[in-house]
Amino acid sequence: MVGGKRGLGARGEVSTTENVNVPRSFIVKQGHVGASLTQLVRDMRKVMEPNTAARLKERSTNKLKDFLVMAPLLKVSHLLAFSLAKTAPTLRIARLPQGPTFSFRIERYSLAKDVLNASRHPKQSPQAFQYPPLLVLSSFPTGPNAPQHLSLVLKCFQSLFPPLTPKTIPLSTARRVVLVSWNAENQTIDIRHYLITVKTSGVTRRVRRILEPKAGSGGKIPDLSREKDIADYVLKAAGGEDGYETASTSAASDADPEEYAVKLASDYVGRNNRKGDKRAVKLDEIGPRMELRLVKIVEGPPGKEGGVLFHEFVKKSPKEVAALRKEAAERARLRKQRREEQERNIARKQNAAEGNDDEDEGTDTGEARVDEDEDDENWNADEDVSEGEEQDQAMSEDDVSESEEETEKAAPPRKRVKTGNATKPKGAIRLRK
């Protein structure tokens, strides 16, 4: 752990990471998007693991501003918001806290479960999501003549994933690949997600079954009951044809070509993947897929947008661009002015509240002093009253009884007023000792 803080983990918390500057992200949906787009949000959280809130619980009352307020506290650097427009689903990628914000239209997408169902041999590895994926950027134009908006998109996707150095990264942590490629013909961006698998190179499928039995087989011995010799099982031609496989047919069918084989620089996950062994590297797609079209790039985060840096459908002249920049600067100035005024008002009210507290303390002290003086005066009066009470108590019992009888004769009879079932005496109630 770094500094006792957590990064964004699988439960919407912060995951343990050694680098404080690792990009972290919120992936949320805006409004009612439907079941398919909701599942796409979950799939994208799997892609961005472990540096994202994979189990972030959203409420229907949550707004985009709520996530923007919480992002600095959790050191979140990116916000990915999916929404459903009238024409097509949209994706906004915002760099926090200063921007810019990229708006994409999702032309087509496939969920992870659809990709796995369409695969002939689907493969999954939950342990692979413990490490961030490798980012591969393909076919993006570079150089001085490259379009400015594509350079910004390139930097946007680069900043989404932690930077990796091939010479220092542990080989066992390279488990997944995210491919972001530019389609110049359709002017779209294709996103793919792959799982890295390695297998023995230069052997046929039957030999690989002997050397690398499946995890669920328990290392069982191959069934040779239908074979006359071990050579029939190992060298038998594929497809049930008669004869044996040659080097050329083996390389063309089951075995992997030599140009795809690499030597492992260190030990890798899996059985018998030792340092220096020759292995064939294969990418198995695990989804999701997305085809994005860039629509707009604006300065600033959502809610504080500035000037428009790029728009796919609306073109502005240099004068109009300058006017828009001036308006954006004026809005920023007014926003700053209102913030400063609000801070001054808060400080003034706090100072006034502190002054009132001081006055209240002084008033309470004066009242306490007056009460003390009054208590001294009342103390002497109480002594006089107590002396009179002692004289009253010296009266005889006969005098008290006679006074009570005279009072009863002089008092008029009391009338009772009916209130429901009960009766209530009219006038004062006298209590006798």
Side-chain angles (χ1 to χ4, degrees):
M1 296 181 66
V2 177
K5 300 218 172 186
R6 298 182 177 174
L8 293 175
R11 297 185 179 179
E13 300 156 353
V14 180
S15 64
T16 304
T17 176
E18 295 181 357
N19 192 356
V20 181
N21 297 323
V22 168
R24 301 179 177 91
S25 59
F26 275 157
I27 304 178
V28 299
K29 60 180 184 293
Q30 280 186 277
H32 180 70
V33 297
S36 298
L37 208 58
T38 301
Q39 185 60 40
L40 180 62
V41 171
R42 298 194 188 101
D43 293 343
M44 282 302 298
R45 290 176 181 175
K46 294 288 290 183
V47 173
M48 301 299 295
E49 282 191 9
N51 299 317
T52 189
R55 297 182 185 178
L56 179 64
K57 294 183 179 180
E58 305 166 87
R59 298 180 180 178
S60 57
T61 57
N62 287 135
K63 297 182 179 180
L64 200 61
K65 183 179 179 180
D66 300 334
F67 301 102
L68 294 175
V69 171
M70 292 301 298
L73 302 178
L74 298 176
K75 298 183 179 180
V76 175
S77 59
H78 291 81
L79 177 67
L80 285 72
F82 288 83
S83 59
L84 185 60
K86 295 181 179 180
T87 56
T90 61
L91 168 64
R92 285 196 292 175
I93 303 177
R95 182 73 167 88
L96 304 179
Q98 301 297 333
T101 301
F102 299 81
S103 299
F104 299 92
R105 186 173 66 189
I106 304 177
E107 300 288 346
R108 292 181 297 176
Y109 69 92
S110 298
L111 302 178
K113 61 179 182 180
D114 299 330
V115 174
L116 293 176
N117 292 335
S119 178
R120 184 177 179 183
H121 300 288
K123 294 185 179 181
Q124 293 180 344
S125 177
Q127 293 79 13
F129 295 95
Q130 298 177 0
Y131 308 99
L134 306 178
L135 177 64
V136 177
L137 299 170
S138 175
S139 303
F140 278 92
T142 57
N145 297 328
Q148 184 180 5
H149 64 281
L150 290 183
S151 300
L152 293 176
V153 172
L154 188 68
K155 294 179 180 179
C156 171
F157 283 104
Q158 283 180 341
S159 63
L160 277 174
F161 301 92
L164 302 175
T165 305
K167 294 183 179 180
T168 59
I169 178 177
L171 187 61
S172 59
T173 61
R175 308 291 295 275
R176 295 181 293 135
V177 172
V178 173
L179 175 63
V180 181
S181 60
W182 168 252
N183 191 335
E185 182 179 357
N186 298 329
Q187 297 292 306
T188 57
I189 300 171
D190 298 328
I191 299 178
R192 300 287 188 272
H193 186 211
Y194 298 95
L195 180 68
I196 301 176
T197 56
V198 297
K199 55 185 179 181
T200 307
S201 176
V203 297
T204 62
R205 184 180 303 170
R206 294 176 180 269
V207 175
R208 188 179 296 115
R209 289 178 181 174
I210 299 175
L211 298 177
E212 301 175 357
K214 294 183 179 180
S217 63
K220 295 181 180 179
I221 300 175
D223 185 10
L224 303 178
S225 59
R226 298 182 182 181
E227 309 295 342
K228 296 180 179 180
D229 189 74
I230 186 64
D232 295 337
Y233 177 81
V234 175
L235 301 176
K236 188 176 182 179
E241 299 178 358
D242 296 335
Y244 297 105
E245 284 186 338
T246 61
S248 58
T249 58
S250 176
S253 59
D254 292 336
D256 303 296
E258 291 295 330
E259 57 266 22
Y260 296 153
V262 296
K263 285 187 178 181
L264 298 178
S266 61
D267 295 345
Y268 195 69
V269 293
R271 181 174 297 182
N272 298 326
N273 294 327
R274 306 299 181 186
K275 179 180 179 180
D277 292 345
K278 208 173 201 180
R279 293 291 183 268
V281 180
K282 184 180 179 182
L283 299 180
D284 295 316
E285 188 173 4
I286 57 177
R289 297 180 182 178
M290 282 196 300
E291 183 178 349
L292 307 178
R293 181 180 297 276
L294 180 63
V295 177
K296 186 171 63 171
I297 305 175
V298 296
E299 297 176 346
K304 298 180 181 179
E305 292 87 350
V308 179
L309 302 178
F310 170 80
H311 204 292
E312 176 69 17
F313 307 107
V314 179
K315 305 299 180 183
K316 298 288 185 180
S317 62
K319 292 184 179 180
E320 293 175 338
V321 172
L324 291 176
R325 289 182 180 275
K326 186 177 180 180
E327 293 178 1
E330 182 65 19
R331 289 197 301 269
R333 187 187 66 81
L334 292 177
R335 190 183 301 115
K336 183 179 179 181
Q337 182 179 357
R338 288 194 297 268
R339 188 184 301 111
E340 292 177 352
E341 183 179 358
Q342 185 178 9
E343 291 176 355
R344 288 195 299 268
N345 292 336
I346 293 174
R348 179 174 53 82
K349 291 180 180 179
Q350 290 178 351
N351 295 333
E354 292 176 357
N356 292 334
D357 293 340
D358 295 339
E359 293 178 0
D360 294 341
E361 290 177 359
T363 305
D364 295 341
T365 305
E367 292 177 355
R369 292 176 180 175
V370 172
D371 293 340
E372 291 174 359
D373 297 337
E374 292 178 355
D375 291 340
D376 295 337
E377 297 175 358
N378 294 335
W379 177 259
N380 299 328
D382 290 341
E383 291 178 351
D384 298 337
V385 171
S386 61
E387 292 177 356
E389 290 179 354
E390 292 176 356
Q391 294 177 0
D392 294 338
Q393 290 178 359
M395 294 174 63
S396 62
E397 295 180 359
D398 296 337
D399 297 337
V400 174
S401 59
E402 291 177 358
S403 60
E404 289 180 356
E405 291 177 358
E406 292 176 357
T407 306
E408 289 179 358
K409 292 180 180 179
R414 292 174 297 180
K415 295 183 180 180
R416 297 182 180 272
V417 180
K418 294 184 179 180
T419 56
N421 296 331
T423 59
K424 181 179 180 181
K426 188 176 181 181
I429 298 176
R430 184 179 179 184
L431 298 178
R432 294 187 178 182
K433 294 183 181 179

